Amino acid sequence: MTMGYRPRVSQSFSAVSEATLSDDAIDSVISWFAGNGRDLPWRHDVPPWAILVSEVMLQQTPVVRVLPRWTEWMRRWPTPADLAAAPTAEVLRLWDRLGYPRRALRLQECARAIVRDHGGEVPRDSQQLLALPGIGEYTAAAVTAFAHHERAVVVDTNIRRVLARAVHGQELPAPSISAAERAAAARVLPPERERSVAWNQSVMELGALVCTARGPRCDRCPLAARCAWVTAGRPEGAARSRRRQPFEGTDRQMRGMIMARLRRDGHATLTELLELDPGDPQRVRRCTASLAADGLARREGEVLQLP
């Protein structure tokens, strides 16, 4: 019932990278998930494409916002071939306000690559997954685990946080993942295929619901009795000092406002768009130009429209 070596909080990550979790600890998290995991539609018996779509939508976006978009998306475009043939303007409209609309474009490019290169089926090979547009290391691993039920080291923000606390005694992981951290996650991953899939899903949910960044509910955590961070008295880490970038007044906010106008009307004149920020016309012009450069809008004279 022990976790093995418990590092002092003052040690660096590389110095404690050999730490891991016991089989009992892993089983406790899997059992917790069986009774507490959310009933989400992409966790049912759905095609790999549906899971790939969910993983792309869930990047930096809460489940509550993704659920209605994913449901409608899968109703409209249940296969890669359906999305590949869809008008790009409709794809961006249906993406709605999920944020980072370039993900919608990459997802359509991904669908076209799956149709063109893989006969319309989501590939199983990890290198083929990584070669798809918009699919990075995390998404490829998540599709391998959750869509194809194969062993893969899945490391998202929630999993990183649970392992940072339970295994390494740190309040929060570093801003970016290191090779040592990835290796530590690989050591924790059970060697058995089905158990590894269950662990990935369970520890991710634990981080989302219990071992949260700002208000961890340690009294409800199956790892609390063997958590290095709890044992150390839940010390505050240096990572807490990180500041979130303000959103109000940023180009990202303005791009979102312009995209909202285009989704609603299909097009808008530059004069109309300048009304979004009369005090800073250069900001509006800069954002319209960047949207066109990213392929999210098309400029024809003084009119900006969906592609």
Side-chain angles (χ1 to χ4, degrees):
M1 298 292 289
T2 61
M3 194 176 61
Y5 171 57
R6 283 181 176 168
R8 292 177 299 170
V9 175
S10 60
Q11 290 178 295
S12 68
F13 188 92
S14 59
V16 302
S17 59
E18 294 302 319
T20 188
L21 288 172
S22 69
D23 287 343
D24 287 342
I26 290 171
D27 287 340
S28 71
V29 175
I30 294 174
S31 296
W32 170 87
F33 177 79
N36 297 276
R38 290 168 291 184
D39 183 19
L40 301 175
W42 46 82
R43 288 178 177 166
H44 290 231
D45 185 18
V46 297
W49 169 245
I51 294 174
L52 188 152
V53 171
S54 75
E55 290 296 341
V56 173
M57 287 185 170
L58 286 164
Q59 293 168 11
Q60 304 181 62
T61 310
V63 167
V64 67
R65 289 176 58 195
V66 169
L67 268 171
R69 293 296 97 208
W70 181 89
T71 302
E72 178 61 15
W73 192 283
M74 297 314 301
R75 186 188 70 80
R76 291 276 298 275
W77 305 308
T79 70
D82 294 320
L83 180 61
T88 300
E90 287 304 306
V91 171
L92 290 171
R93 281 196 181 97
L94 195 58
W95 191 260
D96 198 26
R97 302 185 65 183
L98 281 182
Y100 304 100
R102 276 179 289 185
R103 289 183 295 164
L105 295 184
R106 299 294 86 79
L107 193 50
Q108 187 173 42
E109 291 172 9
C110 177
R112 289 169 176 162
I114 290 173
V115 172
R116 182 185 64 245
D117 301 330
H118 303 286
E121 300 293 332
V122 176
R124 302 181 72 94
D125 180 78
S126 60
Q127 293 306 310
Q128 290 180 337
L129 284 169
L130 285 168
L132 294 173
I135 303 300
E137 188 170 353
Y138 163 75
T139 305
V143 170
T144 297
F146 306 139
H148 297 313
H149 307 287
E150 298 290 347
R151 189 175 184 272
V153 182
V154 181
V155 189
D156 79 331
T157 300
N158 291 313
I159 293 177
R160 292 184 67 211
R161 185 168 55 253
V162 172
L163 295 183
R165 289 171 177 169
V167 181
H168 306 292
Q170 300 171 348
E171 182 190 24
L172 295 171
S176 58
I177 190 169
S178 66
E181 186 181 356
R182 202 177 299 281
R187 271 192 298 277
V188 174
L189 186 69
E192 306 87 1
R193 180 178 60 83
E194 291 186 7
R195 192 160 168 259
S196 72
V197 175
W199 163 253
N200 281 325
Q201 193 169 58
S202 302
V203 69
M204 187 182 297
E205 189 79 334
L206 184 68
L209 300 183
V210 175
C211 192
T212 58
R214 297 188 177 183
R217 297 183 289 176
C218 298
D219 57 319
R220 301 186 183 183
C221 181
L223 292 176
R226 52 203 126 196
C227 175
W229 184 59
V230 171
T231 299
R234 299 182 20 155
E236 184 174 308
R240 179 176 287 277
S241 63
R242 296 201 300 266
R243 294 284 187 265
R244 286 193 171 190
Q245 181 183 4
F247 181 67
E248 191 72 27
T250 63
D251 281 7
R252 183 182 160 210
Q253 181 197 35
M254 176 55 62
R255 281 165 58 100
M257 294 166 66
I258 295 171
M259 287 300 298
R261 177 72 65 89
L262 297 182
R263 284 195 302 269
R264 187 190 72 187
D265 301 333
H267 59 83
T269 65
L270 184 58
T271 300
E272 292 170 333
L273 293 175
L274 288 172
E275 295 173 359
L276 295 173
D277 189 354
D280 192 354
Q282 286 304 113
R283 177 186 176 212
V284 178
R285 294 178 186 276
R286 183 172 64 248
C287 290
T288 57
S290 69
L291 288 171
D294 288 342
L296 293 167
R298 182 160 54 93
R299 177 87 177 263
E300 289 189 2
E302 290 297 297
V303 177
L304 196 72
Q305 57 190 352
L306 290 176

